[in-house]
Amino acid sequence: KKHFSNYRFRCRNPACGETFCRLCRAKPYHTGLSCDDYKEYQAAPQCRFCPAAVTQRNHLRGFVRGGALPGEQVSETEADEDGVMSLTSSAASMTVSDYDADEEKKREEKHEDDDDNNDNKPTVNAHLPRPVRHVCGSDECRQKAAAVCLQNKKCGHYCPGYCGEKECMPCLVDGCATRPAWMTAVSDDLCSICYTEELSEAPCVMLDSCKHVFHLHCLRKRLLMRWSGARITFKFLDCPLCQKRMRHAAIQDVVDAFEALERQVRDRALLRLKFEHLTAHDKITTESSRFFKKPAEFAMHHYMFYTCNDCHKPYFAGAAECDGGDAAEVD
């Protein structure tokens, strides 16, 4: 506050009005930082996952292995002699991804003049693998560093995937020579689930079913939030962009559990359809109908099922639409 009151000035020209520091001449004034802190901030590299600058005060204290996704609980142990932390994660599909330090060093020497501006700035985490070298110490960024893949692509860019993935996904950097021609997603695209962060700001997955790319923690959150409302629906299992059923090893455990529930609901809906003698309904027998020869899909659309609060099993809750809507009015 003292620095602010003594050294912050504003240009009196009505057409300008810009603030500046009288000591270091910085424009605009560096609110909340002293002149020395602001110089350190300018010289420091930017965090890989957020806009913060990685300095001595907020850098990642150790390399996080294993790790959880943002929003998942994680227990931390003390750092060992090499500054390496071990984390236990509730993300069961995550495994530790080993990296080849010698191979990484060769790639750094080969691509030392690449377009990553952070690599040309001094770092306080030079002992860490390159993909997590420029990461700040915030809780969310630490969790992202725990889950991110530690491999560097042959082109010199970071792997955008997560640790433990059997095969690294293609490079997402726009203009990269190794980027496949069929790839539509680029690193600075917003995730189509959260719409708040770019794909490069968190570990990603490329769905096996349609090749669309999303943040891994956004996909898992979408699945765990399930359907909206009381009625059980399963559209959340489909890709938000193309509506194909999502398939990927990182989320398959969750998808399999909900598909088992979907089979239960489908079987009960078909039984109800037969009980009410609606297997020959017009929507099933008419060729122009989207349910033509699809009794299971019609039954899922026609009937509602809720989840019991006690046993957590699905139960029949009636028809989704009342068939009496066209009935004649009663005098």
Side-chain angles (χ1 to χ4, degrees):
K1 291 182 179 180
K2 186 176 180 181
H3 191 285
F4 181 90
S5 60
N6 291 338
Y7 303 115
R8 178 188 177 275
F9 286 81
R10 183 185 296 275
C11 179
R12 293 185 177 182
N13 185 350
C16 178
E18 188 173 26
T19 61
F20 63 93
C21 177
R22 186 170 68 87
L23 278 183
C24 64
R25 305 297 180 182
K27 294 186 298 184
Y29 176 77
H30 40 79
T31 305
L33 297 174
S34 66
C35 295
D36 292 337
D37 291 341
Y38 183 65
K39 290 179 182 178
E40 183 184 7
Y41 172 83
Q42 286 186 309
Q46 181 182 333
C47 176
R48 176 183 175 181
F49 301 121
C50 73
V54 182
T55 64
Q56 288 285 354
R57 289 183 295 276
N58 71 340
H59 69 93
L60 189 67
R61 301 297 174 179
F63 168 50
V64 197
R65 294 185 298 185
L69 295 168
E72 295 182 326
Q73 293 184 351
V74 62
S75 60
E76 178 180 331
T77 61
E78 296 295 331
D80 59 23
E81 296 179 356
D82 297 327
V84 176
M85 295 181 184
S86 297
L87 297 181
T88 57
S89 168
S90 60
S93 60
M94 297 281 181
T95 58
V96 176
S97 176
D98 296 325
Y99 71 98
D100 190 330
D102 294 334
E103 184 66 22
E104 178 181 321
K105 186 175 181 180
K106 292 179 182 178
R107 288 178 181 171
E108 285 188 22
E109 293 174 352
K110 181 179 179 181
H111 301 281
E112 58 184 359
D113 296 326
D114 63 11
D115 57 354
D116 188 353
N117 294 328
N118 276 346
D119 285 349
N120 298 324
K121 293 184 178 181
T123 177
V124 294
N125 292 331
H127 63 290
L128 298 181
R130 181 169 169 262
V132 293
R133 192 170 295 170
H134 301 297
V135 177
C136 71
S138 67
D139 291 341
E140 184 173 350
C141 291
R142 287 176 59 250
Q143 291 175 0
K144 290 178 180 178
V148 76
C149 179
L150 300 181
Q151 303 293 336
N152 289 321
K153 308 295 291 182
K154 292 182 178 180
C155 57
H157 298 124
Y158 302 143
C159 174
Y162 68 97
C163 69
E165 198 168 15
K166 292 183 178 180
E167 183 178 353
C168 290
M169 61 184 295
C171 183
L172 294 181
V173 177
D174 191 17
C176 179
T178 64
R179 187 168 175 267
W182 50 263
M183 176 69 72
T184 58
V186 293
S187 58
D188 56 356
D189 283 346
L190 291 178
C191 173
S192 297
I193 295 178
C194 65
Y195 287 103
T196 56
E197 292 183 326
E198 296 178 357
L199 293 175
S200 60
E201 296 181 27
C204 297
V205 295
M206 183 176 65
L207 297 177
D208 298 333
S209 51
C210 58
K211 306 302 181 184
H212 287 133
V213 180
F214 306 96
H215 291 152
L216 175 56
H217 70 278
C218 292
L219 272 180
R220 293 184 68 88
K221 183 177 180 180
R222 172 185 170 89
L223 291 172
L224 295 176
M225 287 181 67
R226 311 189 305 175
W227 51 86
S228 59
R231 183 184 179 184
I232 300 176
T233 58
F234 298 96
K235 293 294 292 182
F236 68 95
L237 295 176
D238 299 335
C239 173
L241 296 179
C242 66
Q243 309 308 315
K244 289 184 179 180
R245 184 55 54 94
M246 295 188 292
R247 302 292 180 193
H248 194 278
I251 59 172
Q252 202 58 44
D253 56 337
V254 184
V255 173
D256 289 344
F258 282 118
E259 285 187 336
L261 176 63
E262 184 180 27
R263 288 190 292 270
Q264 291 184 35
V265 174
R266 183 186 296 109
D267 292 343
R268 297 185 183 192
L270 282 172
L271 285 175
R272 190 72 192 184
L273 196 70
K274 293 177 181 178
F275 177 77
E276 295 186 0
H277 306 290
L278 295 179
T279 52
H281 194 279
D282 292 343
K283 292 184 178 181
I284 301 176
T285 58
T286 305
E287 292 187 9
S288 59
S289 172
R290 67 186 179 102
F291 299 114
F292 179 60
K293 294 184 178 181
K294 297 178 181 178
E297 290 187 16
F298 173 74
M300 294 280 285
H301 170 78
H302 187 69
Y303 297 120
M304 295 189 300
F305 286 84
Y306 294 171
T307 304
C308 177
N309 292 329
D310 294 331
C311 65
H312 305 291
K313 293 182 179 180
Y315 68 88
F316 175 66
E321 298 178 0
C322 178
D323 290 334
D326 296 332
E329 293 184 359
V330 179
D331 292 336

